[in-house]
Amino acid sequence: MENSIFHEPVPDWVEKVCIILLVCSQIMISGIPANAIAMVTSFLGDEKDAIQFIYYGGVVGSASAYPLIGRFLRYFRKRQLLLLCISLELILLVISVFTKNNLQLFVVNFLLSSVKMVCLMTCLGLFLKKFNPTNSRGLMYGMYYALSFSLSQLYSYWVAVLLQSYSWKYTFLISLPGIFVSFLIVVVLMHTRRIEKKYPLYQIDWLGYFLFIASSLGLSYVCIFGERLYWLQDNTIRLILAASIVGYVLWTIRMLIVRRPYVDVRVLAKYSHVRVGVALMIALFFIYNTFSISTEFMKVNLGYTDSYVAATNLYLIISFVIFIPLTGIWLHKVHRVRESLFVGFALFAIYYLYTARFFYPEENSTFFLIPMMLRGAAYGISITSLSYYASVNLVQADNTHRAFFSIISRSVIAAPITSALWLDSFNYFKQKEYDIVSAQFGMDDYRVSGLWKSLVSSNLKSGSSLDQAEQLAQGTLHNMIYKEALIMSAQNVYYLLAAISIALAILVLFLKVLNVHYVSEKNKYQMTYMDV
């Protein structure tokens, strides 16, 4: 087949199956998964914050590799690049099992995430060429996001199950079967002919690349360690925050003056809808990135294990496979995002109001079916609409830079900032509610005094001394108060998020810039990985 990377005798249906396998195997590759952070901390004996920083190091590595992919694709033959990336992934996955300290873990996670981004986007380019012949961005996001988000939830569940019986390091090896299958597909079925003109790698702005990485890691450090170090009261936090801000300023200046910038920041000034799209993606993560609250509720109040929490999150897949493709079809046919964005943000409001209203510990896992489906539908509809909106009506040369800002706005900037913000707010509300509930648990209340006597008596009958019995009773009362405070603080945060979601839903109804519609003449060029 003309311009196909596969050998000519390979049937079309075999090509399609192989491309799907390649994309799926890359989606399932991960460094440190979020739900393995506690286990990694236990193994290495370090603080959770340090491991979380390593996790975000992988996020930064993945995002920072994105602008380099075009150069790599024009320097290497596709088969050569895929073989190189898959081989590096295999090596790094094996090395990860033998890491012994934070520095080794950081380097492996950073490199693995970077290589995965290059390989995944290369495979995605093949996927778009084969499965999206109409060149529709709506259909592309409808297909890819449904596949990517669903597989990511499945991967998180498998990791949680594996962690029940094995060391956290074995979670890296989940990806090995897909790696071997991918390797066979590339070696056996793909040819080595060069399809595009070769460009040298020395033209890459490596200084801009490393400056972005350093600034982004600084931002992640501030967001992760800020609460424990009391934010700007700590000299280290102030210094790193200042260095990060200066780094971003210097990076922006460099992008404006060098001949071949790492990323062309002018794209933000050139297209108003790209600026609005990036801003709304940050707002989207502001109301979406609250999993830590629901997770703590399920673990503390309901006693769920990590695997049970992950199983509950599988309900999201139902919404992903239904509403993301439907949104893609809507955008493909109608070319408007105002209505779908309104529905997405409105569903977030409904989700938070519904969940806050029924935040009670006696509920079982089936209770989470409706709220998780609401959450999945809200996020799927919103992110699909925003990705589509930001990607249309711009020339091909600017699309890589636009996509870079779409990626970093949600993963490098919004994710750590919103996570730190809501965790800090949640802890503030917990302490406030704990003090209020504690004041109500006075011994002058006959119900509290009766409960205290019952607990002490029960502990004495179990063989404890009087001091031990009172300490155990005090611990039981503390747990009761903490659980109640957790529910009330979660409700406070969720009601606040519902109000913000309603405000965003109303806002999109009046934003004139959302009137920018699809212009086919500006999007006739073939879609590639750059459209993600």
Side-chain angles (χ1 to χ4, degrees):
M1 186 176 295
E2 185 179 359
N3 292 329
S4 173
I5 195 174
F6 290 89
H7 290 295
E8 290 183 3
V10 178
D12 183 68
W13 70 269
V14 175
E15 288 190 21
K16 291 180 178 179
V17 172
C18 291
I19 290 173
I20 292 175
L21 289 175
L22 286 171
V23 172
C24 291
S25 68
Q26 290 303 310
I27 292 173
M28 300 292 282
I29 291 175
S30 178
I32 297 179
N35 56 3
I37 290 177
M39 295 292 291
V40 178
T41 304
S42 175
F43 179 83
L44 294 177
D46 291 317
E47 297 175 338
K48 179 182 178 182
D49 292 343
I51 308 304
Q52 194 172 9
F53 177 72
I54 296 174
Y55 165 76
Y56 274 112
V59 174
V60 173
S62 177
S64 61
Y66 185 85
L68 308 179
I69 300 172
R71 291 289 185 182
F72 291 150
L73 284 171
R74 290 191 289 268
Y75 181 80
F76 296 99
R77 294 177 175 87
K78 284 187 178 179
R79 180 180 184 271
Q80 183 184 17
L81 180 60
L82 286 172
L83 280 179
L84 176 62
C85 289
I86 293 172
S87 299
L88 287 174
E89 287 173 340
L90 177 60
I91 293 171
L92 290 168
L93 285 170
V94 174
I95 290 176
S96 65
V97 180
F98 300 99
T99 54
K100 297 184 181 300
N101 56 56
N102 281 348
L103 179 60
Q104 294 175 1
L105 189 60
F106 178 88
V107 172
V108 170
N109 195 52
F110 181 90
L111 292 176
L112 180 60
S113 300
S114 301
V115 174
K116 172 194 171 175
M117 172 61 82
V118 177
C119 195
L120 174 60
M121 292 299 106
T122 304
C123 295
L124 184 60
L126 303 176
F127 180 86
L128 296 177
K129 184 177 180 180
K130 179 64 66 174
F131 291 95
N132 192 23
T134 61
N135 199 36
S136 167
R137 280 156 177 75
L139 296 181
M140 184 274 287
Y141 287 117
M143 289 187 293
Y144 175 66
Y145 280 173
L147 182 65
S148 177
F149 296 164
S150 299
L151 287 179
S152 296
Q153 290 300 323
L154 283 174
Y155 178 82
S156 297
Y157 174 71
W158 291 336
V159 166
V161 172
L162 190 65
L163 288 174
Q164 288 185 311
S165 305
Y166 299 96
S167 168
W168 67 269
K169 291 187 175 183
Y170 289 100
T171 61
F172 287 90
L173 304 183
I174 293 177
S175 308
L176 286 183
I179 290 291
F180 289 126
V181 172
S182 300
F183 192 85
L184 288 175
I185 291 173
V186 175
V187 170
V188 177
L189 300 179
M190 294 185 178
H191 62 70
T192 59
R193 295 193 302 272
R194 180 176 293 278
I195 299 177
E196 298 174 335
K197 180 181 177 181
K198 184 176 181 179
Y199 281 77
L201 286 179
Y202 68 80
Q203 294 180 349
I204 294 176
D205 179 20
W206 291 109
L207 180 57
Y209 168 75
F210 288 113
L211 189 57
F212 173 78
I213 291 173
S215 303
S216 299
L217 289 177
L219 176 63
S220 297
Y221 183 93
V222 171
C223 293
I224 293 169
F225 291 91
E227 183 184 15
R228 184 167 59 85
L229 298 177
Y230 300 101
W231 299 108
L232 295 181
Q233 297 180 31
D234 182 78
N235 291 331
T236 302
I237 292 296
R238 289 200 300 267
L239 177 62
I240 294 179
L241 178 60
S244 180
I245 294 173
V246 171
Y248 277 128
V249 172
L250 293 176
W251 177 79
T252 303
I253 294 173
R254 178 173 176 80
M255 296 304 99
L256 292 171
I257 63 177
V258 297
R259 182 181 178 185
R260 298 185 182 91
Y262 168 66
V263 172
D264 188 0
V265 298
R266 295 178 183 87
V267 71
L268 293 176
K270 193 173 180 180
Y271 303 100
S272 61
H273 68 285
V274 172
R275 295 194 301 273
V276 172
V278 167
L280 288 177
M281 283 184 184
I282 295 175
L284 171 61
F285 261 73
F286 188 80
I287 59 175
Y288 173 72
N289 195 23
T290 57
F291 273 106
S292 59
I293 298 176
S294 58
T295 298
E296 183 173 356
F297 168 76
M298 284 188 275
K299 286 184 176 182
V300 174
N301 289 66
L302 303 183
Y304 288 1
T305 61
D306 287 327
S307 60
Y308 209 73
V309 172
T312 302
N313 290 336
L314 291 179
Y315 292 137
L316 293 169
I317 296 178
I318 301 174
S319 293
F320 289 157
V321 299
I322 295 175
F323 292 100
I324 293 179
L326 288 177
T327 304
I329 294 172
W330 162 268
L331 296 171
H332 171 68
K333 292 183 176 295
V334 181
H335 313 307
R336 292 199 308 271
V337 299
R338 188 185 305 278
E339 296 89 340
S340 55
L341 276 179
F342 172 79
V343 171
F345 288 134
L347 285 175
F348 270 117
I350 295 172
Y351 161 74
Y352 285 119
L353 289 173
Y354 180 89
T355 307
R357 174 64 181 82
F358 296 103
F359 244 137
Y360 294 106
E362 64 268 13
E363 303 292 350
N364 54 44
S365 63
T366 56
F367 161 78
F368 292 98
L369 174 61
I370 293 177
M372 282 299 181
M373 287 188 63
L374 286 171
R375 185 188 185 99
Y379 180 69
I381 293 172
S382 300
I383 191 64
T384 304
S385 301
L386 287 174
S387 297
Y388 171 87
Y389 171 72
S391 69
V392 300
N393 295 349
L394 43 89
V395 298
Q396 185 175 16
D398 294 331
N399 207 25
T400 303
H401 313 293
R402 184 281 312 169
F404 172 77
F405 286 108
S406 294
I407 292 172
I408 68 167
S409 65
R410 55 185 187 253
S411 63
V412 176
I413 298 175
I417 291 177
T418 55
S419 177
L421 173 65
W422 289 121
L423 185 60
D424 190 55
S425 301
F426 186 45
N427 289 334
Y428 166 78
F429 280 121
K430 278 194 297 185
Q431 184 61 53
K432 183 179 178 180
E433 295 296 340
Y434 185 90
D435 294 339
I436 294 174
V437 176
S438 296
Q440 299 173 352
F441 270 66
M443 287 301 173
D444 53 339
D445 188 326
Y446 73 93
R447 292 170 299 180
V448 177
S449 60
L451 176 61
W452 172 264
K453 293 177 182 178
S454 176
L455 291 172
V456 171
S457 175
S458 176
N459 293 328
L460 289 173
K461 291 179 180 179
S462 299
S464 302
S465 64
L466 180 59
D467 290 340
Q468 291 175 333
E470 291 180 344
Q471 289 178 1
L472 291 173
Q474 186 65 39
T476 301
L477 285 178
H478 165 75
N479 290 334
M480 293 174 61
I481 296 172
Y482 181 79
K483 289 180 178 181
E484 183 66 23
L486 192 153
I487 292 175
M488 297 174 68
S489 57
Q491 288 176 325
N492 291 335
V493 173
Y494 274 31
Y495 283 131
L496 177 60
L497 284 164
I500 296 173
S501 300
I502 293 172
L504 287 171
I506 296 173
L507 176 65
V508 299
L509 293 178
F510 297 97
L511 279 177
K512 290 184 177 180
V513 73
L514 293 182
N515 292 332
V516 177
H517 290 164
Y518 186 92
V519 180
S520 59
E521 287 74 14
K522 293 185 178 181
N523 291 111
K524 282 185 176 179
Y525 54 85
Q526 183 179 354
M527 295 181 64
T528 67
Y529 74 91
M530 297 183 294
D531 292 275
V532 173

